[in-house]
Amino acid sequence: MVLTDKQRTDLHAGIYEYLLSRGPAFAATAEALAQADPEARSSNSSTDNSKTDGNDDEPSNSNGTSPRKTTPSSATPVLEKKWTAVPRLQKRVLELERQISSNQRIHAHRAGFSAGASSAPLDSTTASGGIRERRMLPRPPAQHSLQSHSSGITALVLHPIYTLAASGSEDGTIKLWDHESGDYLRTLRGHTNVVTSVDFCPKGGGYLVSCSTDLSIKIWDVKDNFVCVR
């Protein structure tokens, strides 16, 4: 990797600051770096000047210049901060990569991508020129098995926003589920015969509508504890 002039100057300034912070044992090395790259010293001068303002009674060297004060041990040089930040960032990147890989395996059937191997859609063109069919149906094994109805299920719908599923059955009930966790939530009773269809309001899903062979259509308020409003 090739550094720009600005990056190289910042790096030298950071090394120079770090050497000064290590005390007199590294003073000669810091001075050698400053002689090789004078900009390393000048880049730190603004910080040092802000620390030494008001201290006009400092002793001077024989050449009339004030001796450079080393950074106190309690102050962490910028180079040390960046150096310790790199391992934390690398660890975070690895955690995110593992999370992405896990999510790809879990939701591969939803996005239409093959898990693990290629990131190309299942309906993309193959090397032989053929078109692979997109699989929109989930593949086994099932994440959850939801069982509560006493008869066959005739309708199923997912909420457009929340992780909520509603199922209608021949037993005349509507059951609500959290399809992400697989938890059973509640049962809606009101129909006296087979529930043939259920659907959420497409604009925000504020209402659940159901119809039945008992010749009735019912509207349930999602935000008001699923009260039958009509």
Side-chain angles (χ1 to χ4, degrees):
M1 182 179 66
V2 180
L3 299 177
T4 64
D5 294 339
K6 180 64 167 57
Q7 291 173 334
R8 186 179 295 104
T9 300
D10 292 342
L11 176 61
H12 290 174
I15 297 174
Y16 180 74
E17 180 188 14
Y18 172 75
L19 293 174
L20 290 178
S21 69
R22 305 310 298 172
F26 292 86
T29 306
E31 187 62 28
L33 176 61
Q35 291 179 0
D37 185 4
E39 292 185 1
R41 187 200 301 270
S42 61
S43 297
N44 269 298
S45 61
S46 58
T47 304
D48 293 334
N49 289 337
S50 63
K51 294 179 181 180
T52 58
D53 283 345
N55 297 331
D56 298 333
D57 55 345
E58 290 183 347
S60 300
N61 291 333
S62 58
N63 57 4
T65 61
S66 299
R68 178 172 294 275
K69 299 174 68 175
T70 59
T71 305
S73 58
S74 59
T76 304
V78 176
L79 187 63
E80 287 189 14
K81 293 180 181 179
K82 292 184 178 180
W83 187 272
T84 54
V86 169
R88 291 198 300 269
L89 292 175
Q90 290 176 338
K91 182 180 179 181
R92 181 58 178 163
V93 168
L94 292 176
E95 291 177 353
L96 292 175
E97 288 178 347
R98 285 195 295 267
Q99 184 176 355
I100 291 174
S101 178
S102 176
N103 290 337
Q104 286 178 342
R105 290 194 301 270
I106 294 174
H107 303 290
H109 62 278
R110 299 182 180 181
F113 287 85
S114 56
S118 173
S119 60
L122 293 179
D123 60 349
S124 60
T125 305
T126 61
S128 59
I131 303 297
R132 292 182 292 182
E133 182 181 358
R134 177 186 290 272
R135 291 183 179 179
M136 296 304 296
L137 295 178
R139 291 169 292 185
Q143 288 186 334
H144 306 291
S145 180
L146 310 180
Q147 298 178 355
S148 182
H149 287 291
S150 60
S151 189
I153 296 174
T154 57
L156 178 67
V157 65
L158 300 180
H159 195 278
I161 299 177
Y162 308 123
T163 59
L164 180 66
S167 59
S169 171
E170 293 177 351
D171 59 13
T173 63
I174 301 170
K175 295 189 181 292
L176 304 177
W177 319 80
D178 186 329
H179 60 76
E180 287 291 341
S181 64
D183 294 336
Y184 162 77
L185 300 178
R186 65 172 56 223
T187 299
L188 306 181
R189 304 180 186 275
H191 292 291
T192 59
N193 212 327
V194 177
V195 177
T196 57
S197 180
V198 290
D199 199 2
F200 286 104
C201 177
K203 295 183 178 180
Y207 294 95
L208 172 66
V209 180
S210 62
C211 62
S212 169
T213 55
D214 62 6
L215 304 181
S216 68
I217 298 175
K218 295 187 179 296
I219 301 176
W220 313 81
D221 192 340
V222 175
K223 298 181 179 179
D224 190 16
N225 207 22
F226 287 93
V227 174
C228 183
V229 296
R230 188 171 302 176

